[in-house]
Protein backbone atom coordinates (compact mmCIF):
# COMPACT_ATOMS: atom_id res chain seq x y z
CA UNK A 1 0.00 0.00 0.00
CA UNK A 2 1.70 3.17 -1.26
CA UNK A 3 1.15 5.88 1.37
CA UNK A 4 3.05 8.51 -0.61
CA UNK A 5 2.30 8.84 -4.29
CA UNK A 6 3.97 10.69 -7.11
CA UNK A 7 1.75 10.15 -10.11
CA UNK A 8 4.00 11.78 -12.69
CA UNK A 9 6.99 9.56 -13.46
CA UNK A 10 8.62 12.25 -15.56
CA UNK A 11 8.55 15.97 -16.32
CA UNK A 12 10.39 18.06 -18.92
CA UNK A 13 10.79 21.80 -18.52
CA UNK A 14 12.61 24.46 -20.46
CA UNK A 15 15.53 26.14 -18.71
CA UNK A 16 14.40 29.30 -16.90
CA UNK A 17 10.82 28.14 -16.54
CA UNK A 18 9.09 26.86 -13.41
CA UNK A 19 9.12 23.15 -12.53
CA UNK A 20 6.23 21.89 -10.43
CA UNK A 21 6.46 18.42 -8.94
CA UNK A 22 3.45 16.99 -7.16
CA UNK A 23 2.97 14.51 -4.34
CA UNK A 24 -0.08 13.05 -2.59
CA UNK A 25 -0.28 11.12 0.65
CA UNK A 26 -2.93 9.02 2.34
CA UNK A 27 -1.81 8.73 5.97
CA UNK A 28 -3.29 11.56 8.07
CA UNK A 29 -0.68 10.88 10.77
CA UNK A 30 2.08 12.27 8.54
CA UNK A 31 3.24 15.59 9.94
CA UNK A 32 6.58 16.18 8.27
CA UNK A 33 7.35 16.18 4.58
CA UNK A 34 10.62 16.26 2.69
CA UNK A 35 11.86 16.39 -0.87
CA UNK A 36 14.98 14.51 -1.87
CA UNK A 37 16.92 14.78 -5.09
CA UNK A 38 18.78 11.84 -6.60
CA UNK A 39 21.41 11.72 -9.30
CA UNK A 40 22.34 8.40 -10.95
CA UNK A 41 24.63 6.18 -8.85
CA UNK A 42 24.30 8.49 -5.85
CA UNK A 43 22.19 8.33 -2.73
CA UNK A 44 19.23 10.68 -2.30
CA UNK A 45 20.19 14.11 -0.97
CA UNK A 46 17.92 16.28 1.13
CA UNK A 47 16.49 19.33 -0.62
CA UNK A 48 13.78 20.97 1.46
CA UNK A 49 11.21 20.09 4.10
CA UNK A 50 7.99 21.36 5.62
CA UNK A 51 6.20 20.73 8.87
CA UNK A 52 2.45 20.22 8.91
CA UNK A 53 2.04 23.43 10.93
CA UNK A 54 3.10 25.40 7.87
CA UNK A 55 1.71 25.64 4.37
CA UNK A 56 4.79 27.00 2.64
CA UNK A 57 8.54 26.84 3.01
CA UNK A 58 10.97 28.59 0.72
CA UNK A 59 14.70 28.11 0.23
CA UNK A 60 16.23 30.00 -2.65
CA UNK A 61 14.82 28.68 -5.93
CA UNK A 62 12.92 25.92 -4.14
CA UNK A 63 9.51 26.29 -2.50
CA UNK A 64 7.38 23.54 -1.02
CA UNK A 65 3.65 24.03 -0.60
CA UNK A 66 1.50 21.86 1.67
CA UNK A 67 -2.28 21.49 1.44
CA UNK A 68 -3.24 19.36 4.42
CA UNK A 69 -6.94 19.18 3.64
CA UNK A 70 -6.14 17.77 0.20
CA UNK A 71 -3.21 15.70 1.51
CA UNK A 72 -1.14 17.19 -1.26
CA UNK A 73 2.22 18.87 -1.50
CA UNK A 74 4.19 20.32 -4.35
CA UNK A 75 7.74 21.42 -5.03
CA UNK A 76 8.30 24.49 -7.16
CA UNK A 77 11.67 25.18 -8.71
CA UNK A 78 12.08 28.57 -10.33
CA UNK A 79 13.97 29.32 -12.42
CA UNK A 80 14.78 25.75 -13.46
CA UNK A 81 18.39 25.01 -14.39
CA UNK A 82 19.92 22.09 -16.34
CA UNK A 83 21.69 20.99 -13.15
CA UNK A 84 18.29 20.41 -11.57
CA UNK A 85 17.80 17.40 -13.86
CA UNK A 86 17.47 14.46 -11.47
CA UNK A 87 14.88 12.19 -9.88
CA UNK A 88 12.92 13.91 -7.12
CA UNK A 89 11.40 11.90 -4.29
CA UNK A 90 8.70 13.10 -1.96
CA UNK A 91 8.87 11.63 1.55
CA UNK A 92 6.77 11.82 4.70
CA UNK A 93 7.01 10.84 8.33
CA UNK A 94 4.80 10.79 11.41
CA UNK A 95 7.19 12.42 13.87
CA UNK A 96 4.57 13.14 16.51
CA UNK A 97 4.12 9.39 16.95
CA UNK A 98 7.84 9.02 17.57
CA UNK A 99 8.41 7.32 14.23
CA UNK A 100 11.44 8.64 12.41
CA UNK A 101 11.43 6.49 9.31
CA UNK A 102 10.45 8.10 6.04
CA UNK A 103 7.93 6.82 3.52
CA UNK A 104 8.90 7.64 -0.05
CA UNK A 105 7.02 8.13 -3.27
CA UNK A 106 8.15 6.46 -6.49
CA UNK A 107 9.88 9.59 -7.76
CA UNK A 108 9.54 12.02 -10.66
CA UNK A 109 12.35 12.33 -13.18
CA UNK A 110 12.85 16.01 -14.01
CA UNK A 111 14.64 16.97 -17.20
CA UNK A 112 15.50 20.63 -17.66
CA UNK A 113 16.16 21.36 -21.30
CA UNK A 114 18.83 24.00 -22.00
CA UNK B 1 34.08 10.19 7.56
CA UNK B 2 32.13 13.17 6.29
CA UNK B 3 29.21 11.16 4.93
CA UNK B 4 27.50 7.80 5.16
CA UNK B 5 29.76 5.13 3.71
CA UNK B 6 28.47 1.85 2.28
CA UNK B 7 30.40 -1.19 1.13
CA UNK B 8 30.49 -2.90 -1.24
CA UNK B 9 29.16 -0.50 -3.85
CA UNK B 10 28.33 -3.46 -6.08
CA UNK B 11 27.77 -7.10 -5.22
CA UNK B 12 26.93 -9.87 -7.67
CA UNK B 13 26.01 -13.21 -6.15
CA UNK B 14 24.29 -16.43 -7.04
CA UNK B 15 20.87 -17.48 -5.89
CA UNK B 16 21.03 -19.19 -2.52
CA UNK B 17 24.21 -17.49 -1.34
CA UNK B 18 24.68 -15.38 1.80
CA UNK B 19 25.42 -11.66 1.54
CA UNK B 20 26.53 -8.97 3.97
CA UNK B 21 26.25 -5.26 3.29
CA UNK B 22 28.00 -2.76 5.50
CA UNK B 23 27.10 0.79 6.52
CA UNK B 24 29.27 3.31 8.34
CA UNK B 25 27.08 6.24 9.42
CA UNK B 26 28.02 9.85 9.97
CA UNK B 27 30.00 10.16 13.18
CA UNK B 28 27.75 11.00 16.11
CA UNK B 29 24.51 10.01 14.43
CA UNK B 30 22.65 7.68 16.76
CA UNK B 31 19.87 6.76 14.34
CA UNK B 32 20.57 4.42 11.41
CA UNK B 33 18.18 3.22 8.73
CA UNK B 34 18.25 0.62 5.97
CA UNK B 35 16.15 1.09 2.86
CA UNK B 36 15.81 -0.94 -0.31
CA UNK B 37 15.21 0.63 -3.70
CA UNK B 38 14.04 -1.55 -6.56
CA UNK B 39 14.09 -0.38 -10.16
CA UNK B 40 11.50 2.34 -10.79
CA UNK B 41 10.50 2.53 -7.15
CA UNK B 42 11.21 4.84 -4.26
CA UNK B 43 13.27 3.75 -1.27
CA UNK B 44 11.37 1.23 0.84
CA UNK B 45 11.97 1.17 4.61
CA UNK B 46 13.52 -2.00 6.05
CA UNK B 47 14.79 -1.35 9.57
CA UNK B 48 15.67 1.47 11.95
CA UNK B 49 18.25 1.43 14.75
CA UNK B 50 18.44 3.79 17.65
CA UNK B 51 21.83 3.13 19.17
CA UNK B 52 22.50 -0.61 19.22
CA UNK B 53 18.91 -1.79 19.23
CA UNK B 54 16.48 -2.21 16.37
CA UNK B 55 13.72 0.26 17.22
CA UNK B 56 11.59 -0.75 14.23
CA UNK B 57 12.18 -3.77 11.98
CA UNK B 58 8.71 -3.87 10.52
CA UNK B 59 10.00 -3.34 6.99
CA UNK B 60 12.13 -6.49 6.80
CA UNK B 61 10.41 -8.63 4.13
CA UNK B 62 11.03 -12.03 5.75
CA UNK B 63 13.33 -13.89 8.12
CA UNK B 64 16.08 -14.19 5.51
CA UNK B 65 16.88 -10.55 6.24
CA UNK B 66 18.64 -9.52 9.43
CA UNK B 67 20.60 -6.45 10.51
CA UNK B 68 22.90 -5.72 13.42
CA UNK B 69 24.57 -2.70 14.91
CA UNK B 70 26.55 -4.15 17.83
CA UNK B 71 28.42 -1.05 18.95
CA UNK B 72 25.93 1.60 17.94
CA UNK B 73 27.91 2.77 14.94
CA UNK B 74 28.60 0.47 11.96
CA UNK B 75 25.69 -1.68 10.84
CA UNK B 76 25.59 -4.83 8.73
CA UNK B 77 22.59 -5.98 6.73
CA UNK B 78 22.64 -9.75 6.27
CA UNK B 79 20.66 -11.63 3.64
CA UNK B 80 20.52 -15.42 3.75
CA UNK B 81 19.63 -17.73 0.86
CA UNK B 82 19.43 -14.84 -1.59
CA UNK B 83 16.72 -14.87 -4.23
CA UNK B 84 16.59 -13.07 -7.59
CA UNK B 85 13.88 -10.80 -6.16
CA UNK B 86 16.38 -9.48 -3.61
CA UNK B 87 18.19 -7.66 -6.41
CA UNK B 88 18.01 -3.95 -5.61
CA UNK B 89 20.02 -1.01 -4.33
CA UNK B 90 20.29 -1.17 -0.55
CA UNK B 91 20.53 2.31 0.94
CA UNK B 92 21.72 3.18 4.40
CA UNK B 93 20.94 6.49 6.07
CA UNK B 94 21.73 8.09 9.40
CA UNK B 95 20.36 11.01 11.35
CA UNK B 96 21.01 12.98 14.47
CA UNK B 97 18.24 12.56 17.01
CA UNK B 98 19.80 15.42 18.95
CA UNK B 99 19.38 17.86 16.10
CA UNK B 100 16.09 16.12 15.28
CA UNK B 101 15.56 17.91 12.00
CA UNK B 102 13.86 14.84 10.56
CA UNK B 103 16.37 14.79 7.72
CA UNK B 104 18.06 11.50 6.84
CA UNK B 105 21.52 11.49 5.27
CA UNK B 106 21.91 8.70 2.72
CA UNK B 107 24.91 6.79 1.49
CA UNK B 108 25.43 5.96 -2.17
CA UNK B 109 23.99 2.50 -1.74
CA UNK B 110 25.08 -1.07 -2.35
CA UNK B 111 23.76 -2.50 -5.59
CA UNK B 112 22.98 -6.20 -5.12
CA UNK B 113 22.45 -8.44 -8.13
CA UNK B 114 21.35 -12.01 -7.55
CA UNK B 115 21.84 -14.21 -10.59
Amino acid sequence: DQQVKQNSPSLSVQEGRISILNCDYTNSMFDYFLWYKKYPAEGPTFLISISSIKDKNEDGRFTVFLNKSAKHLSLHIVPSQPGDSAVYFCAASARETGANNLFFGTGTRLTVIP
Amino acid sequence: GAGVSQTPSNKVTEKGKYVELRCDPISGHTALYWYRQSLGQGPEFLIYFQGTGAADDSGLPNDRFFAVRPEGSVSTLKIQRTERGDSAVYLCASSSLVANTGELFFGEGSRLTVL
Side-chain angles (χ1 to χ4, degrees):
Chain A
D1 180 30
Q2 194 76 23
Q3 298 187 60
V4 178
K5 300 177 185 178
Q6 294 176 257
N7 293 318
S8 297
S10 63
L11 173 69
S12 290
V13 170
Q14 206 73 31
E15 180 179 4
R17 300 290 186 108
I18 185 170
S19 295
I20 300 176
L21 296 95
N22 292 302
C23 176
D24 298 290
Y25 62 97
T26 57
N27 189 339
S28 57
M29 297 300 291
F30 288 151
D31 55 12
Y32 195 70
F33 305 89
L34 308 88
W35 285 93
Y36 278 80
K37 177 178 179 180
K38 187 180 184 304
Y39 293 117
E42 294 185 10
T45 55
F46 171 75
L47 194 56
I48 192 169
S49 64
I50 188 167
S51 164
S52 60
I53 62 173
K54 294 186 175 181
D55 55 18
K56 177 183 174 181
N57 188 28
E58 192 173 348
D59 183 3
R61 296 185 298 114
F62 303 91
T63 303
V64 56
F65 294 92
L66 174 62
N67 183 334
K68 280 180 294 187
S69 61
K71 292 191 177 69
H72 177 83
L73 63 155
S74 60
L75 174 68
H76 293 209
I77 307 173
V78 56
S80 301
Q81 299 174 353
D84 296 330
S85 297
V87 177
Y88 289 78
F89 290 99
C90 172
S93 68
R95 295 179 73 191
E96 272 297 308
T97 67
N100 289 290
N101 55 303
L102 299 180
F103 293 84
F104 284 85
T106 52
T108 297
R109 180 178 300 279
L110 173 66
T111 303
V112 180
I113 304 163
Chain B
V4 176
S5 175
Q6 291 188 247
T7 55
S9 55
N10 275 288
K11 175 71 177 178
V12 180
T13 191
E14 293 180 343
K15 180 174 178 292
K17 299 285 189 181
Y18 170 79
V19 165
E20 287 190 354
L21 306 175
R22 176 189 164 107
C23 172
D24 199 344
I26 292 172
S27 177
H29 280 189
T30 54
L32 184 145
Y33 308 77
W34 283 100
Y35 283 79
R36 175 169 72 174
Q37 186 175 12
S38 301
L39 197 61
Q41 301 296 315
E44 173 193 15
F45 170 74
L46 295 177
I47 187 170
Y48 156 58
F49 286 91
Q50 201 172 106
T52 59
D56 183 353
D57 64 358
S58 62
L60 294 177
N62 51 60
D63 61 6
R64 295 187 298 105
F65 288 75
F66 189 70
V68 295
R69 194 185 186 199
E71 297 177 358
S73 178
V74 170
S75 175
T76 304
L77 178 66
K78 308 180 181 195
I79 310 173
Q80 298 178 322
R81 305 183 303 279
T82 51
E83 299 177 357
R84 291 195 180 88
D86 299 335
S87 297
V89 175
Y90 289 81
L91 294 164
C92 177
S94 69
S95 70
S96 168
L97 294 180
V98 172
N100 202 21
T101 61
E103 174 189 348
L104 305 189
F105 296 83
F106 283 86
E108 294 186 349
S110 293
R111 179 177 296 278
L112 174 66
T113 303
V114 182
L115 301 177

